[in-house]
Amino acid sequence: MMKLTLETLERWLWDSADLMRGHIDSSDFKNYIFGLLFLKRANDQFFEEAHAAVDEEDITLEEALEDEDYHQFFIPREAYWSELAKKTENIGQALDKAFAAIEEHNPQLEGVMTAVHFGDSEKLPDTLLQRLLQHFNKYSLANADLENPDILGNAYEYLIRMFADDAGKKGGEFYTPKEVVRLAVGLIKPEAGDSVYDPTCGSGGMLIESAHYIKERGGVVDGRYVNASLYGQEKNLGTWAIAKINMIVHGFIDADIRKGDTLAHPQHTANGELMTFDRVIANPPFSLKKWWAPAEVDVKTDEKGKEIAPRYNDAVTDEYGRFKYGIPPRGYGDLAFVQHMIAVLKQSGRMGVVLPHGILFRGGAEGRIRKGILEDDLVEGIVGLPEKLFYNTGIPAAIVVINKHKAENLKNKVIFIDASNEYKEGKNQNTLTQENIEKIIDAYDGLNDIDKFMRIVDMEKIRENDYNLNIARYIDTSEPEEIVDIETVLQEIAELEVKEKAIDEELGGYLKELGYVG
């Protein structure tokens, strides 16, 4: 039998979304599709492991199916795919029970499988669920039936990207374009043995790309396990569940992905203190409003019903001391995320964060925070990106690289790169090509000024500019104006006037011959 290829797998999985069109909002497709995909994969793998145990341990199939020691994930009988696929009524309720049973037997999946509910028969009628189960029944997802073990993770990434495309602006809430992720990872260069953390991890793409980067450079243990520890936190419950499954299908079962609001309730703590990491990477929500949840619990209104905005300088009190540089305004949470990331970065660590350009030059509280971070010599580089790269906004963004252990030749200096013209134009969205990514990283690593593209700027110059990091202040991309030689221009005008007179005389002669003038 032919093994399942990546191309076939991608097409088959995306076709499942088409079955749901017209029944539920397209932005919700992913939650149901990923749940069924995991259920099918877990079942096929479970039975594959059982048959392997029969061959190797001289036991019966029944014994192999009932012994949890033989399985990565234990599947109880009420969650057997073969039984669920036979059902013709109350299918949604049966699926919900199956997912709950899987969680009960697999503590590491707690909350993941039950993050979505299939039991709403108005939204998901039995006829639709029957068609979906039949569709997923078409292929086996056991390792032996896949072209190679990596294609399941690749197909999962493909689905996430396709769902982001389909969701439009909402897609930016759970997916950062892979090319931007690749660039950010290439700038912070995670290494074998590193701990990598993303405080707003979405579906987990930045963590997975960091692990791939380490793997490609030989950071592998026992020939297959990536020598890295992955940590993340995600506020949206459905997206958190997708991230957990994403880690599993990529083989990063030990990845520590927590749920909750990172700013108000950071989950990665030890002995009452924040854990620290070798590499920190994130694409936080741009300019998040009302970013400190505890201050928004009991917002008052005036006599006209207008909201009385809480004073964040008074309202934000952080037990972990993350906001040492200042409290950002209520309407812009960007530098709250940056300060959280700095607080959890090891003294030898590097971090990369995707941010809107506003944080480079806005004044007030943000200006004071920026000054403090710069004076502590934490900013290593700023890479200005092209516009229209992201799903949720057309505005250009920048990747800010923070390094707590800068090289001697970069101390009290900041690398600026204007990559605003480095892109391939698309109909709705621009993309970075591999050539664009390599050009940016090579320039960043090369540490040589490049006209109209890259410049290394001394901190003294930044102080002169009042800590404004607007890239245009440091890299002049304008074309030089052509110098006009007045004498030459006057000479050319005189010559044209002579030619014009000669043409007029010649034209007058023709008209006279034709009898049009006397």
Side-chain angles (χ1 to χ4, degrees), residues 351-429:
M351 66 176 243
V353 54
V354 182
L355 296 163
H357 274 252
I359 65 100
L360 301 177
F361 54 79
R362 285 194 295 256
E366 290 181 293
R368 291 189 290 275
I369 294 167
R370 192 168 58 246
K371 175 183 177 180
I373 294 171
L374 284 163
E375 285 294 357
D376 278 356
D377 200 18
L378 296 178
V379 180
E380 179 182 273
I382 295 165
V383 177
L385 300 173
E387 62 183 9
K388 291 174 64 178
L389 287 182
F390 300 91
Y391 289 96
N392 52 348
T393 179
I395 64 170
I399 298 174
V400 177
V401 180
I402 300 279
N403 190 344
K404 285 192 175 178
H405 190 65
K406 288 166 80 168
E408 282 299 321
N409 59 340
L410 282 175
K411 288 198 170 156
N412 289 304
K413 292 180 171 64
V414 176
I415 300 168
F416 285 86
I417 291 181
D418 182 352
S420 57
N421 292 317
E422 297 297 317
Y423 65 92
K424 178 183 176 184
E425 191 168 359
K427 185 179 178 184
N428 298 316
Q429 210 175 338

Coordinates of all heavy atoms in Angstrom, one line a residue, residues 351-429:
M351 N 16.6 37.8 23.3 CA 15.2 37.7 23.0 C 14.9 38.5 21.7 O 15.5 39.5 21.4 CB 14.3 38.2 24.1 CG 14.4 39.7 24.5 SD 13.3 40.2 25.8 CE 12.3 41.3 24.9
G352 N 13.8 38.1 21.0 CA 13.3 38.8 19.8 C 11.8 39.0 20.0 O 11.1 38.0 20.3
V353 N 11.4 40.2 19.7 CA 9.9 40.5 19.9 C 9.4 41.3 18.7 O 10.1 42.3 18.3 CB 9.6 41.2 21.2 CG1 10.5 42.4 21.5 CG2 8.2 41.5 21.4
V354 N 8.3 40.9 18.1 CA 7.7 41.6 17.0 C 6.8 42.7 17.6 O 5.9 42.4 18.4 CB 6.9 40.7 16.1 CG1 6.3 41.4 14.9 CG2 7.8 39.5 15.6
L355 N 7.0 44.0 17.2 CA 6.3 45.1 17.8 C 5.9 46.1 16.7 O 6.6 46.2 15.7 CB 7.1 45.8 18.8 CG 7.5 45.0 20.0 CD1 8.7 45.6 20.7 CD2 6.3 44.8 21.0
P356 N 4.8 46.9 16.9 CA 4.4 47.9 16.0 C 5.5 49.1 16.1 O 6.1 49.3 17.2 CB 3.0 48.4 16.5 CG 3.0 48.0 17.9 CD 3.8 46.8 18.1
H357 N 5.6 49.8 15.0 CA 6.6 50.9 15.0 C 6.4 52.0 16.1 O 7.4 52.6 16.5 CB 6.7 51.6 13.6 CG 7.5 50.9 12.7 ND1 8.7 51.4 12.2 CD2 7.4 49.7 12.0 CE1 9.3 50.5 11.4 NE2 8.5 49.5 11.2
G358 N 5.2 52.1 16.5 CA 4.9 53.2 17.5 C 5.7 53.1 18.8 O 6.1 54.1 19.3
I359 N 6.1 51.9 19.2 CA 6.9 51.8 20.4 C 8.3 52.4 20.2 O 9.0 52.6 21.2 CB 7.0 50.3 20.9 CG1 7.8 49.4 19.9 CG2 5.6 49.8 21.2 CD1 9.2 49.2 20.3
L360 N 8.7 52.6 19.0 CA 10.1 53.1 18.7 C 10.2 54.6 19.0 O 11.3 55.1 19.2 CB 10.5 52.8 17.3 CG 10.5 51.3 16.8 CD1 10.9 51.2 15.4 CD2 11.5 50.5 17.7
F361 N 9.0 55.3 18.9 CA 9.1 56.8 19.0 C 8.0 57.4 19.9 O 8.2 58.6 20.1 CB 9.0 57.4 17.6 CG 7.8 57.0 16.8 CD1 6.6 57.5 17.0 CD2 7.9 56.0 15.8 CE1 5.5 57.1 16.3 CE2 6.8 55.6 15.1 CZ 5.6 56.2 15.3
R362 N 7.0 56.7 20.3 CA 6.0 57.4 21.1 C 6.6 57.9 22.4 O 7.5 57.3 23.0 CB 4.8 56.4 21.5 CG 3.9 56.2 20.3 CD 2.6 55.5 20.7 NE 2.8 54.2 21.3 CZ 2.5 53.1 20.6 NH1 2.0 53.1 19.4 NH2 2.7 51.9 21.2
G363 N 6.1 59.1 22.9 CA 6.7 59.7 24.1 C 6.0 59.3 25.3 O 5.4 58.2 25.5
G364 N 5.9 60.2 26.3 CA 5.2 60.0 27.6 C 5.8 58.8 28.3 O 7.1 58.6 28.4
A365 N 5.0 58.0 28.9 CA 5.4 56.9 29.7 C 6.3 55.9 28.9 O 7.3 55.3 29.3 CB 4.2 56.1 30.3
E366 N 5.8 55.7 27.6 CA 6.6 54.8 26.7 C 8.0 55.3 26.4 O 8.9 54.5 26.4 CB 5.8 54.5 25.4 CG 4.5 53.7 25.7 CD 3.8 53.5 24.4 OE1 3.2 54.4 23.8 OE2 3.7 52.3 23.9
G367 N 8.1 56.6 26.3 CA 9.4 57.2 26.0 C 10.3 57.0 27.2 O 11.5 56.7 27.1
R368 N 9.8 57.1 28.4 CA 10.6 56.9 29.6 C 11.0 55.5 29.8 O 12.2 55.2 30.2 CB 9.8 57.4 30.9 CG 9.6 58.9 30.9 CD 9.0 59.3 32.2 NE 7.6 58.9 32.4 CZ 6.6 59.6 31.9 NH1 6.8 60.7 31.2 NH2 5.3 59.2 32.2
I369 N 10.1 54.5 29.4 CA 10.5 53.1 29.5 C 11.6 52.8 28.5 O 12.5 52.1 28.8 CB 9.2 52.2 29.2 CG1 8.2 52.4 30.3 CG2 9.6 50.8 29.0 CD1 6.8 51.8 30.0
R370 N 11.4 53.3 27.3 CA 12.4 53.1 26.2 C 13.8 53.6 26.6 O 14.8 53.0 26.4 CB 11.9 53.8 24.9 CG 12.7 53.4 23.7 CD 11.9 53.9 22.4 NE 11.7 55.3 22.4 CZ 10.5 55.9 22.5 NH1 9.4 55.2 22.6 NH2 10.4 57.2 22.4
K371 N 13.8 54.8 27.3 CA 15.0 55.4 27.7 C 15.7 54.5 28.7 O 16.9 54.2 28.7 CB 14.8 56.8 28.4 CG 16.0 57.4 29.0 CD 15.6 58.7 29.7 CE 16.9 59.3 30.4 NZ 16.6 60.6 31.0
G372 N 14.9 54.0 29.7 CA 15.5 53.1 30.7 C 16.1 51.8 30.1 O 17.2 51.4 30.5
I373 N 15.4 51.2 29.2 CA 15.9 50.0 28.5 C 17.2 50.3 27.7 O 18.1 49.5 27.8 CB 14.8 49.4 27.6 CG1 13.6 48.9 28.5 CG2 15.4 48.2 26.8 CD1 12.4 48.5 27.7
L374 N 17.2 51.4 27.0 CA 18.4 51.8 26.3 C 19.6 52.1 27.2 O 20.7 51.7 26.9 CB 18.0 53.0 25.4 CG 17.2 52.7 24.1 CD1 16.6 53.9 23.5 CD2 18.1 52.0 23.1
E375 N 19.3 52.9 28.2 CA 20.4 53.2 29.1 C 21.0 52.0 29.8 O 22.2 52.0 30.2 CB 20.0 54.3 30.1 CG 19.8 55.7 29.6 CD 21.1 56.3 29.1 OE1 22.2 55.7 29.3 OE2 21.1 57.4 28.6
D376 N 20.2 50.9 30.0 CA 20.7 49.7 30.5 C 21.4 48.9 29.5 O 21.8 47.7 29.7 CB 19.6 48.9 31.2 CG 19.3 49.4 32.6 OD1 20.0 50.3 33.1 OD2 18.4 48.8 33.2
D377 N 21.5 49.4 28.3 CA 22.2 48.8 27.1 C 21.7 47.4 26.8 O 22.5 46.5 26.6 CB 23.7 48.7 27.4 CG 24.6 48.6 26.1 OD1 24.0 48.8 25.0 OD2 25.7 48.2 26.2
L378 N 20.4 47.3 26.8 CA 19.8 46.0 26.5 C 19.4 45.8 25.0 O 19.3 44.7 24.5 CB 18.5 45.8 27.3 CG 18.7 45.7 28.8 CD1 17.4 45.6 29.6 CD2 19.6 44.6 29.2
V379 N 19.2 46.9 24.3 CA 18.7 46.8 22.9 C 19.9 46.6 22.0 O 20.8 47.4 21.9 CB 18.0 48.1 22.4 CG1 17.5 48.0 21.0 CG2 16.8 48.4 23.3
E380 N 19.9 45.4 21.3 CA 21.0 45.1 20.4 C 20.7 45.5 19.0 O 21.6 46.0 18.3 CB 21.3 43.5 20.4 CG 22.4 43.1 19.5 CD 22.6 41.6 19.5 OE1 23.4 41.1 20.4 OE2 22.0 40.9 18.7
G381 N 19.4 45.3 18.6 CA 19.1 45.6 17.2 C 17.6 45.8 17.0 O 16.8 45.4 17.7
I382 N 17.3 46.6 15.9 CA 16.0 46.8 15.5 C 15.9 46.6 14.0 O 16.7 47.2 13.2 CB 15.5 48.3 15.8 CG1 15.5 48.5 17.3 CG2 14.2 48.6 15.2 CD1 15.5 49.9 17.8
V383 N 15.0 45.7 13.5 CA 14.8 45.4 12.1 C 13.5 45.8 11.7 O 12.4 45.3 12.1 CB 15.0 43.9 11.9 CG1 14.8 43.6 10.4 CG2 16.4 43.4 12.3
G384 N 13.4 46.9 10.9 CA 12.1 47.4 10.4 C 11.6 46.5 9.2 O 12.3 46.2 8.3
L385 N 10.4 46.0 9.3 CA 9.8 45.0 8.4 C 8.9 45.7 7.4 O 8.5 46.8 7.6 CB 9.0 44.0 9.1 CG 9.8 43.1 10.2 CD1 8.8 42.2 10.9 CD2 10.8 42.3 9.5
P386 N 8.6 45.1 6.2 CA 7.7 45.6 5.2 C 6.3 45.7 5.8 O 5.9 45.0 6.7 CB 7.8 44.6 4.1 CG 9.0 43.8 4.3 CD 9.2 43.8 5.8
E387 N 5.5 46.5 5.1 CA 4.1 46.5 5.5 C 3.3 45.3 4.9 O 3.8 44.6 4.1 CB 3.4 47.8 4.9 CG 3.5 47.9 3.4 CD 2.9 49.2 2.9 OE1 2.6 50.1 3.7 OE2 2.7 49.4 1.7
K388 N 2.1 45.1 5.4 CA 1.2 44.0 5.0 C 1.8 42.6 5.1 O 1.5 41.8 4.2 CB 0.8 44.3 3.5 CG -0.1 45.5 3.4 CD -0.4 45.9 1.9 CE -1.2 44.8 1.2 NZ -1.5 45.1 -0.2
L389 N 2.5 42.4 6.1 CA 3.0 41.0 6.4 C 2.1 40.2 7.3 O 2.1 39.0 7.2 CB 4.4 41.0 7.1 CG 5.6 41.5 6.3 CD1 6.9 41.4 7.1 CD2 5.8 40.6 5.0
F390 N 1.3 40.9 8.1 CA 0.5 40.2 9.1 C -1.0 40.2 8.8 O -1.5 41.0 8.0 CB 0.7 40.9 10.5 CG 2.2 40.9 10.9 CD1 3.0 42.0 10.5 CD2 2.7 39.9 11.6 CE1 4.3 42.0 10.9 CE2 4.0 39.9 12.0 CZ 4.8 40.9 11.7
Y391 N -1.7 39.2 9.4 CA -3.1 39.0 9.1 C -4.0 40.1 9.8 O -5.0 40.5 9.2 CB -3.6 37.7 9.6 CG -3.1 36.5 8.8 CD1 -1.9 35.8 9.2 CD2 -3.7 36.1 7.7 CE1 -1.4 34.8 8.4 CE2 -3.2 35.1 6.9 CZ -2.1 34.4 7.3 OH -1.6 33.4 6.5
N392 N -3.5 40.6 10.9 CA -4.4 41.4 11.7 C -4.2 42.9 11.5 O -4.8 43.8 12.1 CB -4.4 41.1 13.2 CG -2.9 41.1 13.7 OD1 -2.0 41.1 13.0 ND2 -2.8 41.0 15.0
T393 N -3.2 43.3 10.7 CA -2.9 44.7 10.4 C -2.1 44.8 9.2 O -1.2 44.0 8.9 CB -2.1 45.3 11.6 OG1 -1.9 46.7 11.3 CG2 -0.8 44.6 11.9
G394 N -2.2 46.0 8.5 CA -1.4 46.2 7.3 C -0.2 47.1 7.6 O 0.7 47.3 6.8
I395 N -0.1 47.6 8.9 CA 1.0 48.5 9.2 C 2.3 47.7 9.3 O 2.3 46.5 9.7 CB 0.7 49.2 10.6 CG1 0.6 48.2 11.7 CG2 -0.6 50.1 10.5 CD1 0.6 48.9 13.1
P396 N 3.4 48.4 9.0 CA 4.7 47.7 9.2 C 5.0 47.5 10.7 O 4.6 48.3 11.5 CB 5.7 48.6 8.5 CG 5.0 50.0 8.6 CD 3.5 49.7 8.5
A397 N 5.8 46.5 11.0 CA 6.2 46.2 12.3 C 7.8 46.1 12.3 O 8.4 46.3 11.3 CB 5.6 44.9 12.8
A398 N 8.3 45.9 13.5 CA 9.7 45.8 13.6 C 10.0 44.6 14.6 O 9.2 44.3 15.5 CB 10.4 47.1 14.2
I399 N 11.2 44.0 14.4 CA 11.7 43.0 15.3 C 12.7 43.7 16.2 O 13.7 44.2 15.7 CB 12.3 41.7 14.6 CG1 11.2 41.0 13.8 CG2 12.9 40.8 15.7 CD1 11.7 39.9 13.0
V400 N 12.5 43.7 17.5 CA 13.5 44.3 18.4 C 14.2 43.1 19.1 O 13.6 42.2 19.7 CB 12.8 45.2 19.5 CG1 13.8 45.7 20.5 CG2 12.0 46.3 18.8
V401 N 15.5 43.2 19.0 CA 16.4 42.2 19.6 C 17.0 42.7 20.9 O 17.6 43.8 20.9 CB 17.5 41.7 18.7 CG1 18.4 40.6 19.3 CG2 16.9 41.2 17.3
I402 N 16.8 42.0 22.0 CA 17.3 42.4 23.3 C 18.4 41.4 23.7 O 18.2 40.2 23.5 CB 16.2 42.4 24.4 CG1 15.1 43.4 24.0 CG2 16.8 42.6 25.8 CD1 15.4 44.8 24.4
N403 N 19.5 41.9 24.1 CA 20.6 41.0 24.5 C 21.2 41.4 25.9 O 21.6 42.6 26.0 CB 21.7 41.0 23.5 CG 22.8 39.9 23.7 OD1 22.8 39.3 24.7 ND2 23.6 39.7 22.6
K404 N 21.1 40.6 26.9 CA 21.6 40.9 28.2 C 23.1 40.7 28.3 O 23.7 41.1 29.3 CB 20.9 40.1 29.3 CG 19.5 40.6 29.6 CD 18.9 40.0 30.8 CE 17.6 40.5 31.2 NZ 17.0 39.9 32.4
H405 N 23.7 40.2 27.3 CA 25.2 39.9 27.3 C 25.7 40.3 25.9 O 26.2 39.4 25.2 CB 25.4 38.4 27.6 CG 26.8 38.1 27.9 ND1 27.5 38.6 29.0 CD2 27.7 37.3 27.3 CE1 28.7 38.1 29.0 NE2 28.9 37.3 28.0
K406 N 25.7 41.6 25.6 CA 26.1 42.0 24.3 C 27.6 41.8 24.1 O 28.4 42.0 25.1 CB 25.7 43.5 24.1 CG 24.3 43.8 23.9 CD 23.9 45.2 24.1 CE 24.2 46.0 22.8 NZ 23.5 47.4 22.9
A407 N 28.0 41.6 22.9 CA 29.4 41.5 22.5 C 30.1 42.8 22.8 O 29.4 43.9 22.7 CB 29.6 41.1 21.1
E408 N 31.4 42.8 23.1 CA 32.1 44.0 23.4 C 32.0 45.1 22.3 O 31.8 46.3 22.6 CB 33.6 43.7 23.6 CG 33.9 43.1 25.0 CD 33.6 44.0 26.2 OE1 33.8 45.2 26.1 OE2 33.0 43.5 27.2
N409 N 32.0 44.6 21.0 CA 32.0 45.6 20.0 C 30.6 46.2 19.7 O 30.4 47.0 18.8 CB 32.6 45.0 18.7 CG 31.8 43.7 18.2 OD1 31.1 43.1 19.0 ND2 31.9 43.4 17.0
L410 N 29.6 45.7 20.5 CA 28.2 46.2 20.3 C 27.7 46.9 21.6 O 26.6 47.4 21.6 CB 27.3 45.0 20.0 CG 27.3 44.5 18.5 CD1 26.4 43.3 18.4 CD2 26.9 45.7 17.6
K411 N 28.6 47.0 22.6 CA 28.2 47.7 23.8 C 28.0 49.2 23.5 O 28.7 49.8 22.8 CB 29.2 47.4 24.9 CG 29.1 46.0 25.4 CD 29.8 45.8 26.7 CE 29.4 44.4 27.3 NZ 30.4 43.9 28.2
N412 N 26.8 49.7 24.1 CA 26.5 51.1 23.9 C 26.3 51.4 22.4 O 26.6 52.5 21.9 CB 27.5 52.0 24.5 CG 27.3 52.0 26.0 OD1 26.3 52.2 26.6 ND2 28.4 51.6 26.7
K413 N 25.8 50.4 21.6 CA 25.5 50.6 20.2 C 24.2 49.8 19.9 O 23.9 48.9 20.6 CB 26.6 50.0 19.3 CG 28.0 50.8 19.4 CD 29.0 50.2 18.4 CE 30.2 51.0 18.3 NZ 31.0 51.2 19.5
V414 N 23.5 50.3 18.8 CA 22.3 49.6 18.4 C 22.4 49.4 16.9 O 22.8 50.3 16.1 CB 21.1 50.4 18.7 CG1 19.8 49.7 18.2 CG2 20.9 50.6 20.2
I415 N 22.1 48.2 16.4 CA 22.0 47.8 15.0 C 20.7 48.3 14.5 O 19.6 47.9 15.0 CB 22.2 46.3 14.8 CG1 23.6 45.9 15.3 CG2 22.1 46.0 13.3 CD1 23.7 44.3 15.4
F416 N 20.6 49.0 13.4 CA 19.4 49.4 12.7 C 19.4 48.8 11.3 O 20.4 49.0 10.6 CB 19.2 50.9 12.6 CG 18.9 51.6 13.9 CD1 19.9 52.0 14.8 CD2 17.5 51.9 14.2 CE1 19.5 52.6 16.0 CE2 17.2 52.5 15.4 CZ 18.2 52.9 16.3
I417 N 18.3 48.1 11.0 CA 18.2 47.6 9.6 C 16.8 48.1 9.1 O 15.8 47.9 9.7 CB 18.3 46.1 9.5 CG1 19.7 45.6 9.8 CG2 17.8 45.6 8.2 CD1 19.9 44.1 9.8
D418 N 16.8 48.7 7.9 CA 15.6 49.1 7.2 C 15.3 48.0 6.1 O 15.8 48.1 5.0 CB 15.7 50.5 6.6 CG 14.4 50.9 6.0 OD1 13.5 50.1 5.8 OD2 14.3 52.1 5.5
A419 N 14.5 47.0 6.5 CA 14.1 46.0 5.5 C 12.7 46.2 4.9 O 12.1 45.2 4.5 CB 14.2 44.6 6.2
S420 N 12.3 47.4 4.9 CA 10.9 47.7 4.4 C 10.7 47.4 3.0 O 9.6 47.2 2.6 CB 10.6 49.2 4.7 OG 11.5 50.0 4.1
N421 N 11.8 47.3 2.2 CA 11.6 47.0 0.8 C 12.0 45.5 0.5 O 12.0 45.1 -0.7 CB 12.5 47.9 -0.1 CG 12.0 49.3 0.0 OD1 10.8 49.6 -0.1 ND2 12.9 50.3 0.1
E422 N 12.2 44.7 1.5 CA 12.6 43.3 1.3 C 11.4 42.4 1.4 O 11.0 41.9 2.4 CB 13.6 42.9 2.4 CG 14.9 43.7 2.3 CD 15.7 43.5 1.0 OE1 15.7 42.3 0.6 OE2 16.2 44.5 0.5
Y423 N 10.6 42.3 0.3 CA 9.4 41.5 0.3 C 9.0 41.1 -1.1 O 9.5 41.7 -2.1 CB 8.3 42.2 1.0 CG 7.8 43.4 0.3 CD1 6.7 43.4 -0.6 CD2 8.4 44.7 0.5 CE1 6.3 44.5 -1.3 CE2 7.9 45.8 -0.1 CZ 6.9 45.7 -1.0 OH 6.4 46.8 -1.7
K424 N 8.2 40.1 -1.2 CA 7.5 39.7 -2.4 C 6.1 40.1 -2.3 O 5.4 39.8 -1.3 CB 7.6 38.1 -2.6 CG 6.9 37.6 -3.8 CD 7.0 36.1 -3.9 CE 6.2 35.6 -5.1 NZ 6.1 34.1 -5.1
E425 N 5.6 40.9 -3.3 CA 4.3 41.4 -3.2 C 3.2 40.4 -3.5 O 3.4 39.5 -4.3 CB 4.1 42.6 -4.3 CG 2.9 43.4 -4.1 CD 2.9 44.6 -4.9 OE1 3.9 44.9 -5.6 OE2 1.9 45.4 -4.8
G426 N 2.2 40.4 -2.7 CA 1.1 39.5 -2.8 C -0.2 40.3 -3.0 O -0.3 41.5 -2.8
K427 N -1.3 39.6 -3.4 CA -2.6 40.2 -3.6 C -3.1 40.9 -2.4 O -3.5 42.1 -2.3 CB -3.6 39.2 -4.2 CG -4.9 39.8 -4.6 CD -5.8 38.8 -5.2 CE -7.2 39.4 -5.5 NZ -8.2 38.4 -6.0
N428 N -3.2 40.1 -1.3 CA -3.7 40.6 0.0 C -2.7 40.8 1.0 O -2.8 41.6 2.0 CB -4.8 39.7 0.6 CG -6.0 39.5 -0.4 OD1 -6.5 40.5 -0.9 ND2 -6.4 38.3 -0.6
Q429 N -1.5 40.1 0.8 CA -0.5 40.1 1.9 C 0.9 40.0 1.3 O 1.0 39.2 0.3 CB -0.8 38.9 2.8 CG -0.4 39.1 4.2 CD -0.8 37.9 5.1 OE1 -1.7 37.2 4.7 NE2 -0.1 37.7 6.1

